[in-house]
Amino acid sequence: MQQVPPAPLDPQAHQTAFLGRSLTDDATREFLAQRSMNASTWPPERWTPEQLVLAALLQHPAAAQARARAALARAQLQTAGLTPRTVLAPEIERTNERDAGQSAWSVGLALDLALTGESVREARIERARLLADAALLDEADAAWAVRSGAQRALIELWSANAELALLDRLVVTTLEAQAVMQKRYDLGAADALELTQTRTAAAQAESRYVLAEQRQIRARGDLAQALALPLSALDALRIDFTAFDEPVAVPAMEALRANATLDRIDLRRALAQHAAAEAALTVELRAQYPEIRIKPGLLWDQGATVWSLGAALPLFAAQRQAGPIAEAVARRDMAAQDFLALQSQALVALDHARTRVKAAELDIDGAEAEHDEARLQMTRTEQRYARGDADRLDRLLARVRVLEADIRLLYARQRTLVSRLALEDAVQRPLSALTGPTETAP
């Protein structure tokens, strides 16, 4: 007899476990090693985005939920494979009319056996197997959702860190420019309007710095939430953002469209669910043929052995299946429409993401041109300063223009990364994993 211990939920214990969660434990190291990740140096001095996402999957609630659904599907597959139940029924009879010396009791045994129903069982097994396959794809879909959310948060944190560093330099430079302009004003070499403009620029830079600090705090919180980690665990990690410096090339549209329509995780899951609905229809169709059960019995009655043979055949089985068959047909049609709608959504998402990529590429071209021009002007100002044709304020204002161009270029690079992430979401695969020719920038 199988025994299953009780498993009550303890919210307080779960809270304690969450607050103590970390990515540097031995279980995480073994988890990464099993997935061909380099864990020879543990913990890593700097975590790559790929390492972070993969390590978070071990304890992530979304992944745990998907694993629980997959376990349920496997259990249902085991249940579907059960053979029709065989029943052994003891029989006891008592009679008040008996001869002298005879017992009033008769005892016997009867069996209840199914002769048919094997085809229905096979169809149920096939349906459960397809649902188990779909549940496995649920795990993959959950893992992709975790990756996508974490990548988006990582891009935001990378951009916020870089913006904060640039704005720190911008604040210092604008304050220096304000001090120089104040001296000019005090000497009568500048008017009040020029002084006001430099003060406004310095105040705006300081305000932008405060907003960037808040943005960085939000980005860290969003990343901790995406990875399902307490913020203290994230603070203990150093993240390597070098993967964002050069985005991967974009594959040709033909390869993207093939993946979006044929290899997306949710599309494969929808196909498995449609096949399961087809198998469920087969179950109901085969249930039209009645299950015949025989009931052989053996009775000992006053020293005599009496055997019996009974049978059971349900009546009107085909008529009773009309409703379940209609429901199964409707569910199959719903599953088909769900797949077609999802495929259409995938194609629309792909076209939209590709448009965003092209716009981001044009944006970064403009930002790079602006950045190059600001650098060129800075070089010329330095040359003029060396000749005595420019002063310190000219140099400071040239640095401000370069820093503003750097920030503009940073925003463009972030949009490029986000657009490529949207493209990956459209095909549900990393762009680096796709094969085939790549598209050139427009």
Side-chain angles (χ1 to χ4, degrees):
M1 185 70 68
Q2 184 178 1
Q3 299 292 328
V4 179
L9 289 176
D10 187 345
Q12 184 62 42
H14 179 267
Q15 174 184 314
T16 303
F18 175 79
L19 294 176
R21 188 173 296 173
S22 170
L23 297 184
T24 59
D25 58 318
D26 291 337
T28 303
R29 177 180 184 176
E30 183 179 354
F31 182 76
L32 293 179
Q34 290 173 352
R35 284 151 183 80
S36 302
M37 296 290 290
N38 184 11
S40 57
T41 301
W42 191 258
E45 294 182 4
R46 297 175 67 86
W47 289 76
T48 66
E50 185 180 6
Q51 286 176 320
L52 270 179
V53 174
L54 191 57
L57 286 176
L58 179 61
Q59 304 179 76
H60 202 286
Q65 287 176 314
R67 287 193 292 267
R69 289 193 294 268
L72 173 60
R74 290 191 296 269
Q76 290 172 334
L77 177 57
Q78 182 180 358
T79 301
L82 294 176
T83 57
R85 181 175 296 177
T86 299
V87 179
L88 177 63
E91 296 181 354
I92 302 177
E93 296 181 2
R94 187 182 186 280
T95 180
N96 291 327
E97 297 181 2
R98 62 187 185 280
D99 296 334
Q102 289 184 334
S103 172
W105 298 93
S106 301
V107 295
L109 290 174
L111 287 175
D112 187 350
L113 303 172
L115 290 184
T116 59
E118 188 67 21
S119 62
V120 175
R121 174 174 170 268
E122 292 172 353
R124 286 174 179 161
I125 292 174
E126 178 64 12
R127 175 179 177 271
R129 184 189 65 79
L130 291 167
L131 288 175
D133 291 344
L136 288 176
L137 290 170
D138 274 346
E139 288 191 67
D141 196 27
W144 181 264
V146 171
R147 177 197 183 271
S148 180
Q151 287 282 77
R152 201 172 302 276
L154 282 164
I155 292 171
E156 178 67 12
L157 181 58
W158 164 79
S159 177
N161 289 343
E163 181 188 26
L164 195 63
L166 289 172
L167 286 173
D168 181 64
R169 294 166 56 192
L170 183 64
V171 168
V172 172
T173 305
T174 53
L175 288 175
E176 288 183 13
Q178 177 184 327
V180 172
M181 185 61 73
Q182 182 68 49
K183 290 182 180 179
R184 283 191 176 189
Y185 178 78
D186 294 340
L187 295 174
D191 57 27
L193 178 60
E194 292 175 317
L195 179 60
T196 301
Q197 289 175 340
T198 56
R199 285 177 175 175
T200 301
Q204 289 176 343
E206 290 178 320
S207 177
R208 290 167 64 185
Y209 183 85
V210 172
L211 292 176
E213 282 185 318
Q214 296 173 354
R215 179 191 178 198
Q216 185 191 53
I217 292 172
R218 288 194 303 270
R220 294 188 68 82
D222 291 344
L223 179 59
Q225 184 176 10
L227 297 174
L229 289 173
L231 197 57
S232 58
L234 187 62
D235 290 338
L237 304 177
R238 296 181 62 194
I239 305 174
D240 183 2
F241 291 109
T242 55
F244 296 151
D245 291 339
E246 293 188 11
V248 298
V250 177
M253 193 61 181
E254 292 76 13
L256 292 170
R257 187 173 288 113
N259 278 275
T261 55
L262 303 175
D263 203 34
R264 274 177 60 121
I265 299 170
D266 53 3
L267 285 178
R268 286 187 284 142
R269 180 183 56 194
L271 281 175
Q273 290 172 340
H274 179 266
E278 187 77 57
L281 175 58
T282 303
V283 171
E284 302 301 341
L285 289 172
R286 293 183 181 180
Q288 295 179 102
Y289 302 95
E291 181 182 72
I292 301 174
R293 303 188 70 90
I294 63 171
K295 300 179 179 181
L298 184 65
L299 179 69
W300 180 83
D301 185 15
Q302 308 303 324
T305 302
V306 181
W307 65 270
S308 63
L309 180 63
L313 178 66
L315 298 177
F316 310 113
Q319 292 85 341
R320 290 176 63 86
Q321 280 301 108
I325 290 174
E327 289 183 20
V329 170
R331 290 193 181 95
R332 182 192 63 180
D333 294 343
M334 286 176 56
Q337 294 305 318
D338 289 344
F339 171 81
L340 295 175
L342 188 60
Q343 190 178 57
S344 299
Q345 292 170 6
L347 291 173
V348 171
L350 176 61
D351 288 339
H352 180 60
R354 189 65 189 94
T355 302
R356 288 179 61 184
V357 169
K358 291 181 178 179
E361 288 171 345
L362 291 173
D363 185 32
I364 203 168
D365 286 344
E368 287 176 343
E370 180 181 332
H371 179 266
D372 292 343
E373 178 62 25
R375 287 285 180 182
L376 179 60
Q377 292 299 324
M378 178 67 189
T379 301
R380 290 175 177 173
T381 301
E382 291 290 350
Q383 292 172 347
R384 290 172 51 216
Y385 182 80
R387 295 194 305 265
D389 297 334
D391 58 14
R392 183 184 175 197
L393 182 60
D394 294 327
R395 295 177 69 195
L396 291 172
L397 294 179
R399 289 177 190 173
V400 168
R401 286 191 291 270
V402 170
L403 289 170
E404 291 287 5
D406 287 341
I407 295 172
R408 163 89 166 83
L409 182 58
L410 172 65
Y411 292 160
R413 287 174 175 169
Q414 181 187 6
R415 284 189 286 270
T416 297
L417 291 171
V418 172
S419 68
R420 277 166 165 75
L421 181 58
L423 201 59
E424 291 182 335
D425 285 339
V427 298
Q428 291 191 328
R429 288 189 68 186
L431 296 182
S432 58
L434 299 178
T435 58
T438 60
E439 292 187 357
T440 58

